[in-house]
């Protein structure tokens, strides 16, 4: 039979894959991938209808299912099989029926963007489910999604979402061109796409989120969202600097309280990048700026420490970075205990052994506690670069070097562009409407 020959051809193309199955019922051939399909749906949509002697003449009318399509090109059949379809043929007609299995986890609360207020659902690895979480909130015909297939081996489905009346056409055109120019062998997760779309700066320019409400709010603000199959995160473009210090939970709090919290976050931002350099500048170069009693206290705390304060600061900052990485990589049931154990024992042992002074432990501790207020990994890495840069400038030139370094950091932030927009948009240049909208 020609059909059997085609099955043997598929077996050869799939290198005799064990999950490629075939069934024959009254001269009708059914081919599917067992690992991607649901046996219950195959029985319900296909086998029962064929064994009950359905009176319809056309093969498509005999099969019931959510998606039944005619096949005109046999070269497309492998793509259908990998997407959870079953190929059905009676020698005359060829159709495919969607019978994919439920290979995705349920909708769980967000893990990396937790919030006391607001909804408690998050994306999972199904692009269909993620799209439904967004369209459940935006029930408008203006919500447009354009689909792309990326990855020569993975053939991952990617969706570009925007609102027709609110989304800026300039953003859509730029991102559409970027997606069409991307050629990669594999796209396992949306982070592979994020690397291709990001700017060359070490500061994050694309917001990655697992919260559907944040994506919806960004779409309503005129931004663009990107979803990818097999990824529990969405990308929001453009991502401005203010977006990374403004969590979604702020939208469910009174504006007065949010303004205060934003001030605290900006203060923490300055502390986490400036404090080590400021301490080194004052203790090494500009001691006249410190009150005498405080200076004597600093000097008394450093008695017996054989290393210069600059080396001491670099060593402790690197040590804290190692502890933080071990906390992230370790299983959640052990991570916190390991970091607390390392901080307490190593900190106490370093002071007892005169390797580090107590004031340096306090300075580094405040620096890292202030940095913990930011949850975005790329933001933390960018702040780490600024921290080391300002520290080295302080080691070289004291307060003068710290001031010059801080000015260079501000100039760098203002030089970054995101989709032809300034990275510091809504502040520089100041945009009253956008700023008030983010506070609302």
């Amino acid at each position: 039979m020609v059909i059997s020959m085609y099955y043997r051809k598929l077996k050869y193309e799939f290198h005799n894959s064990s999950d490629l199955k075939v069934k024959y019922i009254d001269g009708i051939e059914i081919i599917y991938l067992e690992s991607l399909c649901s046996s219950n749906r195959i029985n319900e949509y296909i086998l029962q209808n064929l064994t009950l002697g359905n009176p319809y003449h056309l093969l498509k009318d005999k099969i019931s299912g959510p998606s039944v399509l005619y096949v005109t090109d046999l070269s497309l059949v492998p793509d259908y099989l990998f997407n959870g379809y079953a190929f059905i043929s009676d020698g005359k007609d060829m159709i495919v029926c969607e019978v994919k299995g439920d290979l995705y986890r349920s909708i769980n609360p967000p893990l990396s963007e937790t919030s006391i207020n607001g909804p408690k659902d998050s994306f999972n690895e199904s692009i269909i489910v993620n799209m439904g979480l967004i369209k459940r909130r935006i029930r408008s015909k203006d919500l447009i999604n354009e689909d792309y297939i990326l990855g020569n081996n993975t053939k991952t489905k990617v969706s570009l979402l925007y609102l027709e009346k609110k989304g800026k056409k300039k953003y859509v055109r730029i991102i559409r061109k970027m997606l069409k120019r991307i050629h990669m062998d594999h796209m396992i997760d949306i982070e592979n796409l994020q690397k291709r779309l990001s700017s060359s700066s070490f500061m994050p320019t694309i917001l990655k989120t697992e919260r559907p409400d944040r994506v919806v709010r960004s779409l309503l603000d005129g931004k663009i969202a990107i979803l990818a199959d097999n990824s529990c995160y969405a990308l929001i473009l453009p991502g401005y600097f203010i977006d990374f210090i403004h969590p979604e939970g702020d939208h469910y709090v009174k504006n007065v309280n949010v303004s205060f919290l934003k001030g605290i976050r900006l203060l923490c931002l300055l502390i986490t990048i400036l404090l080590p350099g400021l301490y080194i500048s004052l203790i090494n170069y500009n001691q006249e700026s410190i009150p005498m009693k405080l200076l004597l206290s600093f000097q008394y705390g450093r008695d017996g420490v054989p290393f210069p304060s600059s080396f001491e600061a670099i060593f402790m900052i690197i040590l804290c970075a190692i502890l933080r990485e071990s906390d992230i990589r370790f299983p959640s049931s052990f991570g916190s205990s390991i970091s607390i154990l390392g901080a307490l024992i190593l900190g106490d042992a370093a002071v007892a052994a005169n390797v580090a002074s107590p004031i340096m432990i306090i300075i580094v501790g405040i620096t890292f506690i202030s940095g913990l207020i930011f949850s975005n990994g790329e933001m933390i890495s960018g702040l780490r670069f600024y921290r080391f840069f300002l520290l080295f400038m302080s080691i070289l030139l004291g307060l003068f070097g710290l001031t010059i370094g801080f000015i260079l950091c501000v100039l760098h932030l203002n030089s970054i562009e995101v989709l032809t927009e300034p990275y510091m948009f809504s502040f520089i240049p100041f945009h009253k409407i956008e700023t008030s909208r983010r506070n609302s």
Side-chain angles (χ1 to χ4, degrees):
M1 292 179 62
V2 175
I3 305 300
S4 298
M5 290 177 61
Y6 179 66
Y7 173 68
R8 288 196 292 269
K9 179 183 176 183
L10 279 179
K11 266 290 189 180
Y12 176 77
E13 291 179 355
F14 280 72
H15 302 283
N16 293 319
S17 178
S18 60
D19 64 337
L20 184 64
K21 302 295 182 181
V22 61
K23 290 184 180 294
Y24 296 97
I25 297 178
D26 296 332
I28 298 176
E29 186 177 44
I30 306 160
I31 302 174
Y32 60 95
L33 285 171
E34 187 179 29
S35 57
L36 298 176
C37 297
S38 168
S39 57
N40 293 331
R41 292 177 180 174
I42 293 175
N43 291 329
E44 180 182 355
Y45 299 156
I46 303 174
L47 300 183
Q48 287 185 6
N49 293 312
L50 294 178
T51 54
L52 289 176
N54 213 316
Y56 297 106
H57 297 290
L58 295 177
L59 182 60
K60 186 177 181 180
D61 295 333
K62 296 181 180 181
I63 305 299
S64 64
S67 180
V68 181
L69 306 171
Y70 276 110
V71 176
T72 57
D73 187 358
L74 286 176
S75 64
L76 299 177
V77 172
D79 292 334
Y80 281 115
L81 295 179
F82 280 120
N83 282 283
Y85 285 78
F87 174 74
I88 309 165
S89 178
D90 59 359
K92 299 178 181 178
D93 297 329
M94 295 180 295
I95 63 172
V96 288
C97 178
E98 184 180 0
V99 289
K100 64 176 62 174
D102 296 324
L103 304 179
Y104 307 103
R105 59 187 174 93
S106 59
I107 299 173
N108 298 320
L111 297 177
S112 60
E113 297 176 89
T114 57
S115 176
I116 298 175
N117 304 310
K120 297 297 185 289
D121 56 346
S122 64
F123 293 130
N124 65 9
E125 286 74 19
S126 170
I127 192 172
I128 301 299
V129 174
N130 297 341
M131 192 80 68
L133 292 174
I134 294 174
K135 291 195 172 184
R136 188 175 68 177
R137 292 171 165 86
I138 302 180
R139 300 174 182 177
S140 172
K141 294 180 289 185
D142 291 332
L143 180 59
I144 298 175
N145 64 288
E146 301 176 4
D147 291 339
Y148 299 85
I149 301 298
L150 298 180
N152 297 328
N153 297 325
T154 58
K155 291 182 172 59
T156 305
K157 182 180 179 182
V158 174
S159 287
L160 175 67
L161 285 83
Y162 61 94
L163 283 170
E164 177 66 23
K165 295 181 179 179
K166 290 182 176 290
K168 293 186 178 180
K169 300 298 186 295
K170 178 175 65 174
Y171 297 164
V172 176
R173 287 195 299 268
I174 294 174
I175 298 173
R176 192 182 289 154
K177 288 181 181 179
M178 295 172 71
L179 289 175
K180 290 180 179 179
R181 291 175 182 172
I182 291 177
H183 299 284
M184 58 177 74
D185 291 332
H186 57 270
M187 180 180 161
I188 301 174
D189 189 76
I190 202 168
E191 290 184 353
N192 300 125
L193 180 61
Q194 183 182 5
K195 293 178 181 178
R196 300 294 185 97
L197 298 177
S198 298
S199 66
S200 57
S201 172
F202 54 83
M203 292 297 290
T205 55
I206 298 178
L207 184 62
K208 186 177 73 172
T209 180
E210 61 175 345
R211 295 183 63 106
D213 56 332
R214 188 161 202 179
V215 173
V216 168
R217 199 178 300 274
S218 299
L219 290 172
L220 295 173
D221 285 342
K223 294 189 176 184
I224 313 300
I226 298 178
L227 299 177
D229 204 9
N230 304 317
S231 179
C232 60
Y233 289 94
L235 301 182
I236 299 174
L237 292 91
Y240 303 120
F241 177 78
I242 189 63
D243 294 327
F244 298 95
I245 59 175
H246 182 55
E248 184 61 24
D250 285 359
H251 292 289
Y252 305 100
V253 185
K254 290 183 178 180
N255 293 345
V256 176
N257 297 332
V258 170
S259 299
F260 175 76
L261 291 175
K262 279 189 176 181
I264 293 294
R265 292 193 195 102
L266 290 175
L267 178 62
C268 289
L269 175 68
L270 295 176
I271 289 175
T272 192
I273 64 175
L274 289 174
L275 188 58
L278 180 62
Y279 171 74
I280 294 300
S281 299
L282 294 177
I283 205 71
N284 285 352
Y285 291 93
N286 306 92
Q287 298 178 359
E288 69 279 358
S289 302
I290 310 176
M292 184 57 65
K293 289 185 179 180
L294 185 60
L295 180 61
L296 291 176
S297 177
F298 286 172
Q299 189 61 39
Y300 176 76
R302 281 191 46 79
D303 283 346
V305 178
F307 306 109
S309 56
S310 56
F311 176 83
E312 183 186 4
I314 295 173
F315 171 74
M316 292 305 300
I317 290 176
I318 293 177
L319 181 61
C320 286
I322 293 173
L323 286 173
R324 184 183 178 279
E325 286 299 312
S326 66
D327 191 9
I328 295 174
R329 310 300 171 197
F330 232 69
S332 58
S333 56
F334 301 104
S336 298
S337 59
I338 289 292
S339 60
I340 293 173
L341 183 68
L344 290 176
I345 292 181
L346 291 179
D348 184 67
V351 173
N354 286 332
V355 176
S357 61
I359 184 61
M360 182 57 70
I361 300 294
I362 295 173
I363 293 294
V364 174
I366 294 175
T367 299
F368 273 82
I369 290 174
S370 301
L372 292 176
I373 201 168
F374 308 104
S375 58
N376 185 276
E378 286 190 76
M379 184 70 173
I380 295 173
S381 299
L383 295 180
R384 183 188 304 139
F385 177 87
Y386 285 144
R387 184 187 303 130
F388 275 103
F389 173 71
L390 294 175
L391 178 60
F392 284 119
M393 290 293 290
S394 301
I395 292 173
L396 293 175
L397 300 172
L399 279 178
F400 179 73
L402 181 65
T403 305
I404 295 298
F406 183 72
I407 293 174
L408 291 175
C409 291
V410 173
L411 291 175
H412 174 260
L413 286 175
N414 284 277
S415 67
I416 303 173
E417 286 191 351
V418 188
L419 300 182
T420 70
E421 297 281 359
Y423 188 52
M424 303 298 290
F425 177 71
S426 79
F427 286 119
I428 304 174
F430 179 72
H431 197 292
K432 182 178 179 181
I433 297 177
E434 289 290 334
T435 305
S436 61
R437 183 183 297 172
R438 294 174 191 278
N439 288 331
S440 63

